[in-house]
Amino acid sequence: MSSAAKAAYLLAHPTCPICGGITHDIDHEHPTDLVRGALCHRCNSRVGSLEAALRLPPRCFQTLAGDLHRAYARTGHVNLARFTGDLSYLGLTKDEYRSRFAVVHTQLTERYVYWTEVTVEGMTRRTTWIKTGPLLDEEEAQKVLHRLQDPARVPPHLYIVLTLEPDDGINSPYPRGLAYIHLTPGAITNIMELHRAEAAAAARDAEAGLGKHGGATASR
């Protein structure tokens, strides 16, 4: 859609069909890319995450999709009570959604552990990861986690991600599928120190720049 077409569509569909709020986004079906309706930001984000839980992602599940899959892995149940309006909008009953959700979840059979050093930038698409796997079971994955979190090995501080991935032969260079994120002991404090050091360096650079400018002014 062009900007003008989007504006016209939102003007013609001012009310979110799920919550009744003001529409901001044009919602579309991912398989076909066809426009499905206009939604508010919140409902569009939630519907997108609900749909993401029904397909295997190239990287990790979106936040809500991951939350649903982690709850399902822990309890064998997914609570859809708060999403009734979303499912109705998507044209799915709760049973239909659960059935499709379970099909995706049963494909998450391979366990891997990824890790990378903590930086100010955090985990991004540019992050380079070290990985091990596939692992035999959850117990073996926990052994790797405990070894990486051993205080005797710290620093360096690490981001550690345990994943459940599909057995599709892809040797992914980054975490994908269902992720469980961990840190080495003291990593949060280390991250805060890195941010403080970065802010102090930026302040010094700014002060030095002002000093140079002031000196140049004085010389004139």
Side-chain angles (χ1 to χ4, degrees):
M1 270 189 169
S2 66
S3 296
K6 179 177 180 180
Y9 191 89
L10 290 174
L11 188 63
H13 302 82
T15 304
C16 176
I18 297 177
C19 72
I22 299 172
T23 58
H24 304 93
D25 300 324
I26 308 297
D27 175 44
H28 68 282
E29 295 179 345
H30 283 271
T32 64
D33 217 29
L34 295 175
V35 170
R36 181 164 49 202
L39 299 174
C40 69
H41 286 321
R42 181 177 295 179
C43 289
N44 188 46
S45 176
R46 196 171 57 246
V47 165
S49 288
L50 284 169
E51 286 191 300
L54 300 183
R55 60 182 182 270
L56 292 167
R59 287 181 176 260
C60 290
F61 283 107
Q62 295 179 26
T63 302
L64 173 58
D67 289 344
L68 290 172
H69 277 283
R70 279 187 288 272
Y72 189 81
R74 186 175 63 253
T75 66
H77 176 73
V78 55
N79 186 356
L80 302 175
R82 58 180 284 227
F83 306 119
T84 300
D86 304 299
L87 299 180
S88 175
Y89 173 81
L90 291 172
L92 294 171
T93 66
K94 288 183 181 179
D95 286 343
E96 287 170 338
Y97 187 91
R98 287 193 180 97
S99 176
R100 291 173 59 178
F101 180 92
V103 169
V104 171
H105 193 86
T106 55
Q107 296 178 67
L108 303 174
T109 58
E110 300 293 288
R111 299 179 187 276
Y112 290 87
V113 179
Y114 297 76
W115 64 94
T116 189
E117 191 167 340
V118 165
T119 65
V120 173
E121 189 178 34
M123 292 179 283
T124 72
R125 289 182 175 270
R126 294 184 297 275
T127 299
T128 299
W129 295 89
I130 302 170
K131 67 181 287 190
T132 185
L135 303 169
L136 293 175
D137 51 29
E138 176 65 16
E139 183 178 355
E140 187 177 6
Q142 289 296 322
K143 286 180 180 177
V144 174
L145 172 63
H146 293 156
R147 184 168 68 250
L148 292 171
Q149 290 183 316
D150 183 355
R153 299 168 59 94
V154 179
H157 284 287
L158 305 173
Y159 295 113
I160 308 165
V161 183
L162 277 61
T163 65
L164 282 170
E165 305 181 12
D167 183 12
D168 54 7
I170 295 177
N171 183 19
S172 176
Y174 41 73
R176 60 191 291 252
L178 183 57
Y180 297 83
I181 300 173
H182 301 268
L183 294 162
T184 48
I188 297 297
T189 300
N190 178 253
I191 293 169
M192 293 172 64
E193 290 174 351
L194 290 173
H195 281 294
R196 281 195 290 267
E198 184 183 52
R204 287 194 298 271
D205 290 344
E207 187 176 346
L210 288 173
K212 289 178 182 179
H213 180 71
T217 304
S219 67
R220 289 198 297 270

